[in-house]
Amino acid sequence: LPQRNPETKPPQLDFLIFILKQLQPVLTEQKILNKIEAEVGDVTMEFDSSYVIPEYNGCLLKIKGNNLKKKRDATQLLLEFIVKNDLGLPENNSKKYEKIEIVSMIPNGLVSMVIGTRGKQISSLISESKASIVINQPIFKMTYRTVSISGKPFNVSNAIMNIQKI
């Protein structure tokens, strides 16, 4: 086996989040993702239509980069934009919410690490991030497990970052 240089950082996993499909044109037409990339630096954000979750009307957004905190910052800016502009609400509901819910994805093989022994790790994640985190049941023939995360944009982006750290 090839030896890995201990000074070389392991590659970072992309942040994989599902957002409402109706948001994709808004974010694309207004070039919101480009603005966030420019503001944060060293991250790229792109939609990937090859991932589909049955019964979920969403689209996958990949947030790529080697700096975990910059990916968190990009996620936070995106979620704050969605909340600030009422983009996550049904059209007939004018009430403004501070909370948001997203679906993130983690590889099936890493779920036990996120949950931890007797749920200690997931309890710690919830306590630290102050976000609600629910790891959903596996979906037939999918190599990723969905994770529902809800709370204020800052808390949700911190929860995603802390899950990625694991």
Side-chain angles (χ1 to χ4, degrees), residues 75-88:
T75 303
Q76 181 180 341
L77 287 172
L78 173 67
L79 298 178
E80 286 174 351
F81 176 83
I82 291 169
V83 169
K84 179 180 163 188
N85 293 286
D86 289 333
L87 299 177

Side-chain angles (χ1 to χ4, degrees), residues 112-124:
S112 61
M113 293 174 67
V114 174
I115 294 172
T117 306
R118 297 184 181 171
K120 288 182 183 176
Q121 184 71 24
I122 189 103
S123 295
S124 175

Side-chain angles (χ1 to χ4, degrees), residues 63-78:
I63 302 175
K64 300 177 177 188
N66 289 324
N67 186 314
L68 199 55
K69 289 183 179 167
K70 287 190 178 207
K71 289 190 290 191
R72 187 243 359 235
D73 292 346
T75 303
Q76 181 180 341
L77 287 172
L78 173 67

